[in-house]
Amino acid sequence: MIDIEKAHEKKDALYEALGNLDSLLIAYSGGVDSTFLLATAHGVLGSRVLAVTATAPFYPSREVREAIDFARQRGIEHLMLPSEAGHLPVFKANPPDRCYHCKSFLFKKLKEVAEERGIRHIAHGANASDGDDYRPGKKAAEEAGAIAPLLAAGLTKEEIRHLSKEMGLPTWNKPSMACLASRIPYGEPITEEKLGMIEQAEAFLAAKGLVQLRVRCHGPLARIEVDEAGFSMITAAPMREAVASKLKELGFLYVSLDMDGYVTGSLNRALKK
């Protein structure tokens, strides 16, 4: 349970901080946090806000589409920025700090856009709940001088979801998303073929009614993570057979269900050994 009064106090602090900015570019993925930040900033700064969404094979296309739709519906200026980070040798090699190199590349591009448009500040959607896991991308944002207004206000993910619901944002109960490259264990090369298999597999499972899920790609093995509600659905005979058949059709040789269920950043366990 959250303290609603405290959440509103944090939101007020966020409004005040945003009001002190003359212009703002927001790295906008379309997820819960960046959507809340964008909606709030647009309410405070109006046309002085620019949303920028990066596109690449490692970003889920459905999330990009949802980002486009939201910005259009709200009348927010929105720029699509093709990212070439996937061509970097260090990205393809997939070391533990892959995200750092990818984000460094992205924030360099965002800074170029901001300078061209005369925008003084760049913001991203990190929040107070993001400190529990390995997040090398956060370092890249800090090095680029990007600000994290949600984090500065002390807003947690749960508070952001609650406030998003109050604001009528469609993302308030949206499942957590992440770059598709995060589905591939460190050290295993990242290829567009693998990313395509992962995206199609997750889209298939989502279309079947599963909500919070991941398809981790361990070579020829697909390791499916689902939340508690998804277990009974995916293990029922008709669904189980359909999932196995579809994922093998996509190119996986083996299909498994992780008994630990959905775990954010589960591949980071290898870094703690």
Side-chain angles (χ1 to χ4, degrees):
M1 289 289 291
I2 67 170
D3 184 325
I4 297 177
E5 182 177 351
K6 186 170 291 186
H8 286 159
E9 289 175 357
K10 293 179 182 181
K11 183 180 179 182
D12 290 341
L14 175 63
Y15 270 98
E16 182 177 354
L18 292 171
N20 291 327
L21 306 178
D22 55 2
S23 54
L24 183 64
L25 182 156
I26 294 178
Y28 174 50
S29 69
V32 178
D33 305 319
S34 65
T35 299
F36 173 74
L37 176 59
L38 179 60
T40 305
H42 185 248
V44 175
L45 299 172
S47 61
R48 290 178 288 160
V49 170
L50 173 65
V52 179
T53 299
T55 61
F58 47 87
Y59 291 125
S61 58
R62 58 181 170 140
E63 181 140 290
V64 173
R65 290 194 299 270
E66 289 169 359
I68 292 172
D69 290 342
F70 180 82
R72 181 185 297 122
Q73 292 166 7
R74 294 281 175 134
I76 301 172
E77 186 176 5
H78 188 202
L79 177 66
M80 308 305 294
L81 182 66
S83 173
E84 299 176 349
H87 299 303
L88 298 173
V90 69
F91 181 91
K92 293 179 180 180
N94 195 19
D97 65 346
R98 175 205 70 243
C99 186
Y100 168 76
H101 297 286
C102 180
K103 293 296 186 183
S104 291
F105 187 90
L106 173 59
F107 277 105
K108 178 182 177 181
K109 295 296 183 182
L110 293 176
K111 287 180 73 174
E112 291 174 358
V113 172
E115 290 171 1
E116 290 172 2
R117 301 291 293 267
I119 298 174
R120 293 186 59 188
H121 303 280
I122 298 173
H124 63 116
N127 64 71
S129 297
D130 289 337
D132 298 333
D133 196 17
Y134 175 62
R135 294 179 182 272
K138 183 179 177 182
K139 177 183 176 184
E142 292 172 348
E143 290 178 350
I147 61 176
L150 304 181
L151 177 60
L155 283 159
T156 65
K157 175 73 91 174
E158 190 176 6
E159 289 170 333
I160 291 167
R161 286 189 182 278
H162 176 83
L163 294 171
S164 295
K165 185 177 183 180
E166 286 187 345
M167 294 168 62
L169 301 182
T171 50
W172 75 269
N173 64 343
K174 184 176 183 178
S176 297
M177 297 293 288
C179 161
L180 295 173
S182 68
R183 319 295 201 262
I184 302 173
Y186 298 122
E188 290 192 18
I190 294 173
T191 66
E192 289 197 19
E193 179 183 12
K194 291 178 184 176
L195 296 172
M197 289 166 60
I198 293 166
E199 179 165 25
Q200 291 180 70
E202 292 189 352
F204 174 80
L205 294 174
K208 287 292 185 180
L210 294 167
V211 179
Q212 189 63 75
L213 63 98
R214 292 286 187 270
V215 175
R216 311 289 187 185
C217 177
H218 298 262
L221 168 70
R223 177 170 60 87
I224 302 172
E225 297 179 7
V226 294
D227 58 12
E228 191 67 28
F231 263 91
S232 58
M233 294 175 61
I234 201 168
T235 54
M239 171 79 90
R240 185 179 71 246
E241 294 165 0
V243 170
S245 176
K246 180 62 178 181
L247 269 61
K248 288 177 181 178
E249 178 187 315
L250 293 175
F252 292 104
L253 295 181
Y254 310 100
V255 181
S256 68
L257 177 64
D258 193 314
M259 299 308 292
D260 283 338
Y262 168 73
V263 178
T264 301
S266 66
L267 293 178
N268 289 336
R269 293 169 181 164
L271 302 178
K272 301 174 182 178
K273 290 183 178 180

